[in-house]
């Protein structure tokens, strides 16, 4: 039986029911909303969570269910993993891919972070955390709150005290 | 986490579009461990200080950060400002360099500038600067005398006080301590435990773009160090470079002891400068050694005592670097305490033909290539007493 992968190419299953297909080394992932994604084991192994499941033999005939990851985000994470296992040595290309990859709205970026955290994909976590860190680095306190919708829950006295303690941080 | 205090916030206006589709705090969806991960990617300690003011949650997590970069704004001498008439030369005007450029003077004369008399080594104070006034800082802010009361200085130790879980600390000085003439190359890398463990220095009397191939080249003498090095003061100059670099390194090491004592969780420490002139590093073992056995001070100066040292010096009249740069009078010096060398029983021989990694890997490209090329040449051995 054949199935369509997330990137549109078809996977030939050769009649096998098992989704941990030894010949093409594919594995099926199910998003929280029930969509199927076929990925190579190599790409899937970038997720330490899935990697450990594969190693511990916890992957059943159906594949891996990921109740915490929605289909659109899972598709993006898979795209990232596919790209990174494909040509890990082409540093320039990967850098520009990464830059484009994180050029998304904060809402999406944070969803990706949650997914990467749950799936334990270290490189993706580093990339996304660095992106968020970069957007925080140069901003003032008010700008940070504004950008991320954070509420100032200090009393005015507390805030004044902390500002005094951290005076060195303000120029 | 409860969303208190939201009353009165406008919803779904243009501002919210910038903050996201709704008003929610994006970070609400991330666990503390992930937020801490973000903070660990920020690095700059001032940015972290601002983060601590954003919300209670941020304030609780910032002190747990394990990796921090401290950019020192300026270096202040302990002594009264040199604008008062004093016999010591005024500090060089650029970026606070002068205050730390208190390198021993040798009777060889003004080869390295600026130079101060031996023994008059100021105790530099490193500072991060914050300004209370709203006026934009002038371009030479770090060195222009500040209006009284307008600027406050904060030491790195003060700034780092809140960080209890630091594992990796990088401190960056605004400039290298050694004032070298234009076109001269001087770089050093040293690592320390309680005292110096090793130091590698790369220097060149001139750095210039490679001349076109048609220019005649002097015949290379690979085998020997040219006589001219002895006669034209070249060797003495290199000794001055060496001692200056060691003094700068030992002064940095001395400054670090209180910070190292305060932060017992540190695994790695680097003290660099924005010019890329000198790098002092300490790894976890070396940091523990310093905590167990505090450094010895050199006399009344504010720097760590150097043990007696064995040095090897390699010289080449010309070295071409990748990227089309020509070094003239290129010199590599590798230094270790005599005790360490003798313990290893190898005499002055530090390593096999490829060079020990501590020498060949001391610098990044393109200087790494230069060091490797120099290593192939004949060498001098020098010994130096403790100072």
């Amino acid at each position: 039986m054949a199935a369509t992968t997330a990137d549109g190419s078809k996977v030939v299953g050769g009649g096998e029911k098992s989704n941990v297909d030894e010949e093409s080394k594919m594995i099926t992932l199910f998003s929280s909303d029930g969509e199927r994604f076929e990925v190579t084991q190599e790409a899937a192994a970038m997720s330490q969570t899935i990697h450990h499941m594969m190693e511990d033999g916890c992957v059943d005939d159906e594949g891996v269910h990921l109740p915490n990851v929605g289909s659109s985000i899972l598709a993006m994470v898979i795209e990232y993993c596919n790209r990174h296992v494909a040509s890990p040595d082409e540093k320039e290309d990967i850098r520009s891919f990464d830059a484009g990859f994180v050029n998304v709205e904060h809402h999406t970026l944070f969803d990706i972070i949650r997914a990467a955290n749950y799936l334990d994909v270290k490189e993706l976590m580093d990339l996304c955390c660095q992106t968020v860190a970069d957007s925080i680095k140069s901003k003032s306190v008010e700008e940070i709150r504004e950008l991320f919708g954070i509420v100032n829950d200090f009393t005015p006295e507390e805030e004044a005290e902390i500002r005094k303690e951290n005076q060195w941080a303000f120029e | 986490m409860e969303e208190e205090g939201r009353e009165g916030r406008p919803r779904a206006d243009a501002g919210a579009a910038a903050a996201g589709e709704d008003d929610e705090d994006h970070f609400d969806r991330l666990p503390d461990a992930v937020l801490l991960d973000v903070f660990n990617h920020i690095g700059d300690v001032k940015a972290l200080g601002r983060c601590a003011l954003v919300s209670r949650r941020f304030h609780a997590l910032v002190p747990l950060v394990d990796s921090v970069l401290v950019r020192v704004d300026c270096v202040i001498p302990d002594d009264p400002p040199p604008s008062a008439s004093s016999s010591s030369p005024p500090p060089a005007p650029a970026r606070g360099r002068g205050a730390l450029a208190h390198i021993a003077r040798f009777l060889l004369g003004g080869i390295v500038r600026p130079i101060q008399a031996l023994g008059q080594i100021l105790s530099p104070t490193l500072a991060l600067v914050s300004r209370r006034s709203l006026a934009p800082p002038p371009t030479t802010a770090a060195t222009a005398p500040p209006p009284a009361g307008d600027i406050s200085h904060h030491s790195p130790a003060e700034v780092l006080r809140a960080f209890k879980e630091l594992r990796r600390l990088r401190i960056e000085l605004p400039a290298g301590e050694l004032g070298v003439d234009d076109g001269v190359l001087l770089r050093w890398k040293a690592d320390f435990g309680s005292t110096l463990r090793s130091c590698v220095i790369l220097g060149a009397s001139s750095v210039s773009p490679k001349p076109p191939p048609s220019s005649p080249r002097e015949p290379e003498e690979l085998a020997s160090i040219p006589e001219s090095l002895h006669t034209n003061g070249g060797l003495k100059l290199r000794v001055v470079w060496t001692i200056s670099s060691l003094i700068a390194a030992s002064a940095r090491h001395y400054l670090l002891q209180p910070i190292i004592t305060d932060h017992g969780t540190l695994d790695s420490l680097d003290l660099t400068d924005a010019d890329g002139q000198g790098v002092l590093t300490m790894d976890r073992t070396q940091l523990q050694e310093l905590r167990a056995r505090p450094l010895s001070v050199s006399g009344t100066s504010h720097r760590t005592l150097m043990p007696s040292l064995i040095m090897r010096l390699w010289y080449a009249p010309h070295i071409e670097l990748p990227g089309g740069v020509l070094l003239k009078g290129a010199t590599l010096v590798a230094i270790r305490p005599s005790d360490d060398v003798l313990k290893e029983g190898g005499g002055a021989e530090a390593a096999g033909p490829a060079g020990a990694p501590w020498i060949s890997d001391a610098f990044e490209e393109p200087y790494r290539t230069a060091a490797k090329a120099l290593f192939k040449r004949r060498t001098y051995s020098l010994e130096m007493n403790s100072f």
Side-chain angles (χ1 to χ4, degrees):
Chain A
M1 79 188 174
T4 306
T5 64
D7 60 4
S9 58
K10 289 229 188 278
V11 174
V12 175
E16 293 278 344
K17 282 266 180 198
S18 164
N19 277 302
V20 186
D21 187 307
E22 281 304 279
E23 268 105 45
S24 49
K25 294 220 189 260
M26 303 298 284
I27 183 173
T28 306
L29 306 178
F30 291 93
S31 66
S32 58
D33 43 347
E35 261 198 58
R36 269 173 82 115
F37 296 86
E38 299 277 339
V39 277
T40 62
Q41 280 198 14
E42 196 190 352
M46 278 191 79
S47 153
Q48 288 300 306
T49 307
I50 298 179
H51 176 70
H52 288 314
M53 289 170 81
M54 294 195 294
E55 282 207 321
D56 296 346
C58 294
V59 179
D60 62 17
D61 283 350
E62 274 199 7
V64 180
H65 288 267
L66 302 168
N68 291 0
V69 190
S71 52
S72 60
I73 297 298
L74 184 55
M76 293 182 76
V77 175
I78 289 173
E79 184 194 349
Y80 177 90
C81 294
N82 282 339
R83 185 67 181 77
H84 275 249
V85 299
S87 45
D89 296 325
E90 284 164 33
K91 299 242 166 75
E92 272 311 310
D93 288 348
I94 291 216
R95 244 199 295 270
S96 77
F97 169 82
D98 284 353
F101 186 83
V102 291
N103 189 13
V104 293
E105 281 195 3
H106 276 140
H107 196 89
T108 311
L109 185 61
F110 279 58
D111 282 337
I112 296 175
I113 292 180
R114 279 175 54 106
N117 186 43
Y118 169 69
L119 293 169
D120 196 1
V121 184
K122 184 172 187 320
E123 299 87 336
L124 183 54
M125 275 299 279
D126 280 344
L127 172 63
C128 292
C129 287
Q130 186 66 63
T131 306
V132 178
D134 288 344
S135 66
I136 290 179
K137 252 196 281 213
S138 50
K139 297 201 163 46
S140 71
V141 177
E142 290 72 23
E143 284 167 343
I144 296 173
R145 291 182 186 139
E146 175 83 41
L147 186 59
F148 296 105
I150 302 171
V151 173
N152 176 9
D153 50 358
F154 291 118
T155 67
E157 297 79 29
E158 285 170 339
E159 187 170 353
E161 166 118 21
I162 297 171
R163 190 174 279 267
K164 197 169 106 182
E165 265 168 30
N166 289 7
Q167 193 199 344
W168 44 264
F170 299 94
E171 277 204 62
Chain B
M1 181 172 131
E2 275 300 81
E3 301 309 309
E4 281 140 348
R6 286 215 162 190
E7 54 276 9
R9 253 193 104 140
R11 295 190 58 84
D13 62 7
E21 290 89 341
D22 48 22
D23 258 354
E24 78 171 281
D25 176 347
H26 286 101
F27 285 105
D28 275 354
R29 297 187 283 130
L30 301 181
D32 281 354
V34 172
L35 186 46
L36 191 52
D37 204 349
V38 171
F39 289 155
N40 280 327
H41 279 83
I42 287 180
D44 177 42
V45 77
K46 285 192 184 182
L48 287 168
R50 290 194 291 274
C51 282
L53 205 58
V54 167
S55 70
R56 285 178 195 264
R57 187 181 180 210
F58 275 41
H59 185 254
L61 288 173
V62 161
L64 305 179
V65 163
D66 64 29
S67 171
V68 163
L69 164 67
V70 178
R71 283 202 185 87
V72 171
D73 294 319
C74 67
V75 176
I76 316 161
D78 260 2
D79 292 15
S83 53
S85 61
S86 76
S87 52
S88 50
R95 294 177 292 161
R97 177 208 300 272
L100 246 187
H102 32 57
I103 308 302
R105 172 183 35 190
F106 289 82
L107 302 173
L108 312 169
I111 293 171
V112 173
R113 67 155 169 90
I115 296 174
Q116 306 220 358
L118 189 74
Q120 280 179 18
I121 297 183
L122 304 172
S123 163
T125 306
L126 306 184
L128 283 77
V129 169
S130 66
R131 276 174 200 83
R132 276 169 256 145
S133 76
L134 292 175
T139 47
T140 53
T143 55
D150 210 36
I151 289 203
S152 46
H153 296 116
H154 312 272
S155 68
E158 175 193 342
V159 161
L160 292 169
R161 201 175 6 193
F163 297 94
K164 305 283 187 227
E165 307 280 326
L166 266 189
R167 296 205 173 283
R168 177 160 153 63
L169 175 59
R170 288 161 294 155
I171 302 179
E172 187 186 270
L173 301 178
E177 298 95 317
L178 307 178
V180 289
D181 294 326
D182 285 340
V184 172
L185 171 73
L186 186 56
R187 281 173 185 258
W188 57 264
K189 177 163 184 219
D191 62 289
F192 280 76
S194 299
T195 185
L196 183 74
R197 284 272 143 262
S198 73
C199 180
V200 185
I201 301 171
L202 179 68
S205 47
S206 97
V207 182
S208 53
K210 192 174 111 173
S214 56
S215 325
R217 283 273 302 273
E218 297 161 23
E220 286 253 348
E221 290 180 38
L222 277 163
S224 57
I225 293 183
E227 198 54 40
S228 57
L229 187 63
H230 304 272
T231 52
N232 68 0
L235 187 58
K236 289 177 186 168
L237 172 63
R238 280 142 183 91
V239 170
V240 170
W241 287 349
T242 301
I243 297 192
S244 307
S245 302
L246 288 173
I247 290 184
S250 58
R252 285 192 193 183
H253 181 250
Y254 179 80
L255 288 171
L256 291 173
Q257 181 162 262
I259 295 177
I260 294 170
T261 315
D262 278 347
H263 296 273
T265 50
L266 270 181
D267 282 345
S268 103
L269 173 53
D270 296 303
L271 180 37
T272 61
D273 59 80
D275 293 334
Q277 183 182 87
V279 174
L280 184 155
T281 70
M282 295 179 70
D283 65 24
R284 180 177 3 191
T285 311
Q286 292 165 333
L287 290 161
Q288 283 169 350
E289 182 187 307
L290 180 57
R291 288 189 200 106
R293 200 174 57 207
L295 57 85
S296 309
V297 184
S298 170
T300 53
S301 61
H302 296 267
R303 61 174 186 83
T304 301
L305 181 71
M306 286 283 110
S308 56
L309 302 168
I310 287 185
M311 311 180 190
R312 296 178 71 199
L313 184 151
W314 295 261
Y315 174 85
H318 308 275
I319 297 261
E320 278 175 29
L321 298 181
V325 171
L326 180 66
L327 300 183
K328 289 196 182 152
T331 312
L332 179 71
V333 186
I335 303 158
R336 289 173 73 201
S338 323
D339 284 348
D340 290 359
V341 177
L342 294 173
K343 247 183 270 178
E344 283 173 19
E349 294 304 310
W358 66 275
I359 302 176
S360 53
D361 292 348
F363 303 105
E364 298 300 320
E365 292 295 2
Y367 304 112
R368 185 173 288 205
T369 302
K372 289 188 170 146
L374 281 162
F375 197 83
K376 298 189 177 107
R377 298 177 170 256
R378 241 179 73 166
T379 105
Y380 270 131
S381 268
L382 303 160
E383 288 182 39
M384 189 169 285
N385 286 337
S386 171
F387 66 96

